[in-house]
C-alpha cells in the first residue's frame, strides 16, 4: 500500500502521512515507479515479512492477517517489525470468520 499526501509526498501508509521519517519522495520531483524502487523507507517496508516478524513467526494465520497494521505497530513499539498491539483482536476476528465460513461450506469429498 502507498499513500500520496496532499503536497504529493508518497508514504507507505495513510496513517503515516505527515511523518517526515516515512516520506519516500515527491511525485512532483520523481515518478512513482522511481520512488517505489529507490526510496529506502519503502525498501524497508518491502522487506518486512511475517516469517521474521516478532509474534508472527509461529502463528498459524500469519499469512491471512499479514502481520497487522504497520502504523499501529510503529506508533506502539517505535519499530516497523514489532508486534501489532491489536494482534489478538485481529486473530480472534479472523478465526471467528473462518469458523463461520467453514460452517457454511458443504464438502462432498469427505462423504462416501
Amino acid at each position: 500500500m502507498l499513500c500520496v499526501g496532499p503536497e504529493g509526498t508518497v508514504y507507505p501508509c495513510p496513517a503515516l502521512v505527515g511523518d517526515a521519517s516515512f516520506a519516500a519522495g515527491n511525485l512532483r520531483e520523481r515518478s512513482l515507479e522511481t520512488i517505489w524502487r529507490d526510496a529506502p523507507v519503502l525498501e524497508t517496508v518491502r522487506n518486512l515479512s511475517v516469517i521474521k516478524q516478532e509474534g508472527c513467526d509461529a502463528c498459524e494465520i500469519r499469512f491471512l492477517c499479514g502481520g497487522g497494521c504497520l502504523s499501529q505497530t510503529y506508533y506502539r513499539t517505535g519499530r516497523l517489525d514489532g508486534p501489532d498491539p491489536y494482534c489478538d483482536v485481529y486473530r480472534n476476528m479472523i478465526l471467528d470468520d473462518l469458523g463461520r465460513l467453514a460452517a457454511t461450506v458443504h464438502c462432498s469429498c469427505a462423504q462416501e
Side-chain angles (χ1 to χ4, degrees):
M1 168 188 328
L2 293 177
C3 182
V4 180
E7 74 294 333
T9 301
V10 176
Y11 299 89
C13 155
L16 299 172
V17 170
D19 187 328
S21 61
F22 290 99
N26 193 290
L27 292 176
R28 294 179 180 154
E29 300 164 6
R30 299 186 293 157
S31 71
L32 184 58
E33 178 183 0
T34 301
I35 292 170
W36 172 253
R37 198 176 5 143
D38 297 343
V41 68
L42 296 181
E43 181 178 1
T44 298
V45 170
R46 285 193 307 273
N47 288 325
L48 294 174
S49 171
V50 294
I51 294 171
K52 300 179 282 186
Q53 187 169 333
E54 180 183 335
C56 296
D57 51 350
C59 180
E60 69 276 10
I61 63 166
R62 66 185 175 261
F63 297 112
L64 296 176
C65 78
C69 176
L70 180 82
S71 62
Q72 291 290 348
T73 298
Y74 175 73
Y75 287 126
R76 178 51 90 54
T77 67
R79 308 176 1 222
L80 294 176
D81 63 345
D84 186 299
Y86 299 105
C87 175
D88 289 336
V89 174
Y90 302 144
R91 187 174 190 284
N92 289 332
M93 287 173 43
I94 290 170
L95 290 174
D96 286 348
D97 287 345
L98 287 174
R100 279 193 293 278
L101 180 61
T104 65
V105 174
H106 302 286
C107 179
S108 61
C109 59
Q111 300 172 0
E112 292 188 31

